[in-house]
Amino acid sequence: MSENLENHKTEGFDSSDALVVRRGAPFRITLQLQGRPFNPRTDSVKIKIMLGRLYAVMPVTFSKTVSSTRWKAYMDQEDLNLQEPSIYISSPASASVGCYKFQLCVFTKNSQRSCTFGKFILLFNPWCREDGVYIPFEDQREEYILNDSGLLFMGTAMNLVSRPWSFDQFEPGILEACLNLLQASPQHQQSRKMDHLNRNDPVYISRVVSAMINCEDDRGVLKGNWSGDFKDGVNPSSWTGSGDILRHWVQSGYSPVKYGQCWVFAAVMCTVMRVLGIPCRVVTNFNSAHDTNNNLVIEEFYSNTGKKLNHSRDSIWNFHVWVECWMTRPDLGSEMDGWQVLDPTPQERSGGVFCCGPAPVKAIMDRRIDLIFDVPFVYAEVNADVHTIIVNEGRVVGVNKDTEKVGSLICTKAVGFPRVQNITGDYKHIRSPTLSSRRSPTPDSTLRRAGSSNGVVVFLTLEKAPVAGEPIHFTVKVINKQNVTKRMKVHFNAQAKEYNHSPSDTFWENHGVMQLAPMEAQMIHQQILPAQYEDVVGDDLINLAVVLEDMDTQEQALASEEFNIATPELIIEVANADSTVVNKQQMATLTFTNPFSHPVSGILSVSGAGLIQHKVQFRMPSLRPGARVEQSITFVPNMVGTKMLQANLSLTNIRSTIRGFKMVTVRRA
């Protein structure tokens, strides 16, 4: 058993009651004959493999030559133990995945028959060159199949938030939940035989899973909710891993789990695909367009005082999260092999069902909008232009065009390291130096948006990435392009907004008048104090805009920026981290310092696949501004490898969650 698991890279599934193996590679079963040894001259063996109503029957031979297209069973004559003979079963590299039953019968020279039954679970095999999901680099197989934790990137392109996530693919019951997901799909319910036949194809499997992660058309896993009201379920921001979600779905009899948003849908899909053996990674697209009329233009509307208005069916999400899966595309041609976009968040129907993809990343780069599946939709998400329109009493008084905002950064977790990897260049040709500079954010990045009219140019610049508990400092630079003096009305407006919604009401504004000499440039310095934003913003973002109005010509110019406020991380320190070994108690200390301008309290949750069996919670008492609290925990690792210990502090009197994680390397005892 352990030899099979090691050879097939399935050691993590050792809690399953069935042998877990990968297609295209042999696995060994051992016969225990009662009463007498095996006689290779007079005894023969046949094996029947069954997946639902599909089956294959094969004699056990002494030829070790296997086929990449046919099932084969053989004994190794050179290493044959007659008391307990071993039989090797080799599946084709194109076999359907799922839970197989097998019947093994031994026939003697007197035609006496003795049979036994068993089962095994067959997965895709990215280590097998003939498999359609083969990925040629070991570090990528380790990352995209075996890594049971990761980072999801949120916030904004200039101020990334790294959210730890536990994929939990090796936790008890998760493998079975993922196989149940295939069984619960409409495709399986409509025709089990056709579903089993089609399960050899990662393109087919990926579309089934993309639809089954959301519950809009089926008995899918998650119900989406962007209303802000989660009282009859779980706030999407509270989830820390896929395991709780998948277990809850199975235990409820396949009722949808409430609730998910884009990063939850994507992270759960990543778990399912890694379990099934398809290389998968979670990808974030910053400033992701939802183009409802397919014209590759997103219109955003502002009032003449800088308030963003909800006047358009089109939208831009500050970030949107999907997955990429690695596979060949024989249906499209080998030039489309490689990473494929799949999006389980229900936005638009594809083939009548709420799913998206697999859309080849290469097709998006090359604008091959003639190809299946959903290439035009994904292309618009990363390439649409933005028209910002200022309106006053129903009349358009100013228009800005931005060709760089959408898809400004597309990223994923780096292979082998807890940091960001920029993959924007895989999706789009980098069109200008401006875009290039914005693709590599650092904590000190300057955020800038510029607007202009015939007479003036206005730039809005954040002096540094905003941090919770500190004033938000920003500067407006105004340049008079003409040889006449100008008197300008200046309007500042700040609104809180969720990542996928139009902003809510204005929480801060400022108004004034300025005079510009001919060709003069002036700087205006402003700040928003913590007490003005803390109770409003929480984990939300801020839409900040400035509008300048020429008091003589009524011409208007607008500059705007949407940004997030960085919250501090929980600090996690593991005692004697280098000596962490499996099945031995270890201790960690969690530290939090209150950065806010008023006292906070909350619930601290600690979890970690392979480290902690069940989530541990502590109540944190009220902590005054600037004060620090420590919490010690003990844990007993039960799995070898690099594991993620993560902690969440959900504050009760402010709409914010503080997070932290620590990678822990667990060695054998």
Side-chain angles (χ1 to χ4, degrees):
M1 180 79 165
S2 61
E3 174 193 328
N4 286 323
L5 297 180
E6 184 178 345
N7 290 341
H8 287 254
K9 305 287 188 180
T10 54
E11 299 105 314
F13 298 121
D14 60 358
S15 64
S16 173
D17 62 355
L19 173 64
V20 183
V21 293
R22 301 190 187 277
R23 66 186 193 176
F27 61 93
R28 184 170 77 168
I29 57 176
T30 302
L31 285 179
Q32 293 182 326
L33 299 174
Q34 294 179 345
R36 66 174 184 85
F38 179 76
N39 186 338
R41 292 189 186 139
T42 60
D43 298 340
S44 62
V45 185
K46 274 189 178 179
I47 296 179
K48 183 179 182 180
I49 303 286
M50 296 161 281
L51 179 63
R53 294 182 180 177
L54 303 180
Y55 68 90
V57 178
M58 52 195 159
V60 177
T61 71
F62 288 100
S63 169
K64 292 196 289 184
T65 304
V66 298
S67 167
S68 63
T69 59
R70 297 175 65 86
W71 287 90
K72 175 74 184 286
Y74 64 90
M75 290 182 177
D76 186 349
Q77 205 160 11
E78 298 172 3
D79 187 29
L80 186 59
N81 180 341
L82 298 180
Q83 299 298 326
E84 293 185 347
S86 290
I87 296 174
Y88 295 87
I89 300 175
S90 180
S91 63
S94 58
S96 293
V97 300
C99 186
Y100 284 75
K101 296 177 182 176
F102 70 88
Q103 179 188 47
L104 187 151
C105 294
V106 180
F107 299 86
T108 67
K109 66 178 179 180
N110 301 323
S111 296
Q112 289 182 315
R113 188 175 79 157
S114 174
C115 294
T116 186
F117 297 87
K119 66 179 180 177
F120 62 90
I121 293 168
L122 191 68
L123 306 176
F124 289 99
N125 190 355
W127 283 266
C128 174
R129 289 182 181 276
E130 290 78 27
D131 197 312
V133 302
Y134 172 70
I135 193 167
F137 304 105
E138 179 60 24
D139 61 342
Q140 293 189 15
R141 294 188 289 252
E142 294 275 341
E143 179 71 44
Y144 301 135
I145 293 289
L146 302 181
N147 196 348
D148 59 2
S149 65
L151 298 177
L152 316 179
F153 296 103
M154 304 164 76
T156 57
M158 294 302 180
N159 198 9
L160 292 183
V161 174
S162 303
R163 176 169 293 187
W165 189 269
S166 186
F167 294 115
D168 295 330
Q169 66 262 43
F170 303 120
E171 293 296 289
I174 301 306
L175 168 65
E176 291 74 17
C178 295
L179 294 173
N180 289 348
L181 182 145
L182 299 181
Q183 302 292 97
S185 70
Q187 290 87 343
H188 187 77
Q189 300 303 315
Q190 288 160 13
S191 173
R192 298 186 180 193
K193 181 179 179 181
M194 287 307 300
D195 176 54
H196 283 142
L197 279 170
N198 288 329
R199 283 197 201 171
N200 69 330
D201 181 6
V203 174
Y204 171 82
I205 289 281
S206 66
R207 275 185 75 74
V208 170
V209 174
S210 176
M212 281 296 296
I213 297 299
N214 70 73
C215 67
E216 296 307 307
D217 311 287
D218 43 45
R219 300 170 73 191
V221 177
L222 279 160
K223 177 70 176 174
N225 184 344
W226 288 266
S227 71
D229 180 4
F230 309 114
K231 62 178 177 292
D232 61 338
V234 176
N235 184 325
S237 290
S238 298
W239 298 115
T240 60
S242 304
D244 288 344
I245 294 169
L246 288 166
R247 277 189 290 264
H248 191 287
W249 177 67
V250 171
Q251 291 163 3
S252 69
Y254 308 140
S255 296
V257 178
K258 301 177 181 179
Y259 289 104
Q261 291 183 3
C262 67
W263 69 91
V264 185
F265 287 108
V268 174
M269 181 166 182
C270 186
T271 295
V272 176
M273 301 308 270
R274 288 186 182 184
V275 164
L276 296 177
I278 299 176
C280 189
R281 62 189 187 184
V282 180
V283 170
T284 303
N285 175 38
F286 285 96
N287 296 324
S288 189
H290 187 172
D291 180 19
T292 57
N293 57 6
N294 299 315
N295 66 350
L296 290 177
V297 172
I298 306 295
E299 295 178 331
E300 295 189 322
F301 292 86
Y302 283 82
S303 74
N304 63 325
T305 58
K307 182 176 181 178
K308 196 172 187 180
L309 307 170
N310 186 15
H311 282 183
S312 175
R313 289 187 64 232
D314 291 344
S315 62
I316 297 177
W317 292 17
N318 293 91
F319 62 86
H320 182 45
V321 185
W322 56 64
V323 301
E324 289 177 359
C325 292
W326 181 276
M327 64 190 72
T328 58
R329 293 301 300 268
D331 55 332
L332 299 180
S334 59
E335 69 275 10
M336 293 299 153
D337 292 352
W339 290 115
Q340 316 285 320
V341 172
L342 287 140
D343 190 350
T345 299
Q347 294 185 90
E348 299 283 343
R349 282 189 162 89
S350 170
V353 177
F354 277 108
C355 67
C356 180
V361 172
K362 291 175 184 173
I364 298 159
M365 165 72 92
D366 296 338
R367 201 178 181 182
R368 289 293 307 276
I369 56 176
D370 56 309
L371 298 180
I372 57 173
F373 296 93
D374 309 300
V375 174
F377 183 78
V378 181
Y379 180 86
E381 286 184 296
V382 301
N383 282 296
D385 292 342
V386 181
H387 292 185
T388 304
I389 300 165
I390 310 170
V391 293
N392 185 14
E393 297 179 351
R395 187 169 58 90
V396 174
V397 293
V399 178
N400 284 344
K401 297 180 181 179
D402 190 335
T403 61
E404 297 177 2
K405 180 177 181 178
V406 167
S408 59
L409 173 67
I410 306 168
C411 65
T412 188
K413 177 191 170 294
V415 174
F417 297 96
R419 61 176 182 241
V420 67
Q421 178 185 345
N422 184 340
I423 57 172
T424 316
D426 294 346
Y427 281 80
K428 56 201 294 185
H429 300 282
I430 307 306
R431 291 177 289 187
S432 72
T434 307
L435 183 57
S436 297
S437 65
R438 287 169 57 198
R439 286 173 54 228
S440 302
T442 67
D444 301 319
S445 290
T446 297
L447 310 180
R448 175 174 293 173
R449 279 270 181 263
S452 66
S453 68
N454 291 333
V456 298
V457 181
V458 55
F459 296 92
L460 171 61
T461 306
L462 290 178
E463 295 180 9
K464 70 169 189 171
V467 176
E470 298 179 8
I472 300 167
H473 292 281
F474 65 97
T475 301
V476 173
K477 182 179 182 180
V478 186
I479 304 171
N480 183 358
K481 298 190 298 181
Q482 296 178 335
N483 278 315
V484 294
T485 299
K486 290 185 175 291
R487 290 187 311 134
M488 312 290 296
K489 289 181 181 177
V490 186
H491 304 284
F492 297 101
N493 188 287
Q495 300 159 268
K497 75 178 296 290
E498 294 179 33
Y499 75 100
N500 67 316
H501 274 211
S502 293
S504 53
D505 290 337
T506 299
F507 72 83
W508 176 88
E509 59 186 325
N510 201 355
H511 307 276
V513 175
M514 67 182 299
Q515 184 164 303
L516 288 167
M519 310 303 288
E520 182 188 9
Q522 279 191 35
M523 304 287 282
I524 307 171
H525 298 278
Q526 292 284 309
Q527 67 174 2
I528 306 174
L529 298 174
Q532 295 172 306
Y533 69 74
E534 282 178 348
D535 294 333
V536 180
V537 178
D539 284 332
D540 293 341
L541 298 97
I542 290 178
N543 186 93
L544 178 64
V546 57
V547 173
L548 272 79
E549 180 184 353
D550 189 316
M551 295 170 67
D552 296 320
T553 66
Q554 277 71 60
E555 282 187 316
Q556 304 202 4
L558 174 144
S560 66
E561 186 59 80
E562 289 179 349
F563 57 88
N564 54 309
I565 299 173
T567 53
E569 288 188 4
L570 280 166
I571 305 300
I572 304 175
E573 292 295 337
V574 177
N576 302 313
D578 293 340
S579 58
T580 304
V581 295
V582 70
N583 298 326
K584 182 180 176 183
Q585 184 171 287
Q586 179 60 285
M587 191 179 82
T589 303
L590 289 71
T591 307
F592 170 66
T593 303
N594 178 14
F596 300 101
S597 61
H598 51 73
V600 296
S601 58
I603 303 294
L604 177 66
S605 302
V606 187
S607 59
L611 299 174
I612 297 177
Q613 296 266 252
H614 303 288
K615 188 178 290 186
V616 183
Q617 291 192 327
F618 306 90
R619 181 172 296 279
M620 190 192 77
S622 182
L623 193 66
R624 69 180 187 276
R628 174 179 142 168
V629 65
E630 284 189 358
Q631 176 67 55
S632 295
I633 63 157
T634 57
F635 60 96
V636 180
N638 63 358
M639 197 178 291
V640 172
T642 301
K643 303 298 172 184
M644 176 187 282
L645 183 65
Q646 61 165 310
N648 280 10
L649 175 58
S650 181
L651 300 178
T652 52
N653 54 341
I654 189 169
R655 295 188 305 116
S656 192
T657 301
I658 312 298
R659 296 178 172 84
F661 71 94
K662 184 79 170 180
M663 303 310 296
V664 181
T665 300
V666 183
R667 295 178 172 84
R668 299 189 189 280

